[in-house]
Amino acid sequence: MKVEARLFDITTAFFFVSAVVYGAWAKEPVGLVALILTGGLSLIIGSYFHFVARRAEQRPEDDPDAEIADGAGEMGFFSPGSYWPAGVAASAGLTAVALAFMQIWLIVIGGVVLLLTVGGLVFEYHTRPNVTE
């Protein structure tokens, strides 16, 4: 996580330096505010990565002397074939189109379908706990 934290530190510095240069040069407030807010959001993400990096064990990506083979092994479980992401994308698209045309009834339908498909994606491999009495 230290690598990601450094990347966001660099982007945060870039946005704040850009805001100073833009504010001195352009004299236009909207772009200045946008750059400051973008730098602030980047600072939030970088701070989160610093927070997590202190508590997580060191990964091979964080070790400058690591070999490629150090990162080998199981990375986690990935669904071999799930249709839920397509449903999430379709329902998010429906909701976005409904928002674009400001159709309240379609926004409600799209939001409900979006929540159902996200729930299906999250709980796709969830099984009941084995309760033995």
Side-chain angles (χ1 to χ4, degrees), residues 35-129:
L35 284 170
I36 291 171
L37 291 176
T38 304
L41 290 173
S42 179
L43 179 66
I44 290 171
I45 297 170
S47 300
Y48 172 75
F49 280 142
H50 279 293
F51 179 76
V52 171
R54 283 186 287 165
R55 285 161 177 76
E57 60 186 42
Q58 188 173 6
R59 302 177 308 164
E61 292 89 355
D62 297 329
D63 184 12
D65 297 326
E67 297 290 328
I68 293 175
D70 293 340
E74 185 175 334
M75 300 300 287
F77 175 74
F78 299 97
S79 179
S82 175
Y83 293 109
W84 287 110
V88 170
S91 59
L94 175 70
T95 307
V97 169
L99 281 168
F101 290 108
M102 208 50 194
Q103 298 295 319
I104 302 298
W105 62 275
L106 195 56
I107 293 171
V108 171
I109 291 172
V112 168
V113 174
L114 182 62
L115 289 174
L116 289 173
T117 55
V118 167
L121 178 66
V122 168
F123 294 112
E124 181 174 11
Y125 292 103
H126 178 73
T127 58
R128 291 185 196 182

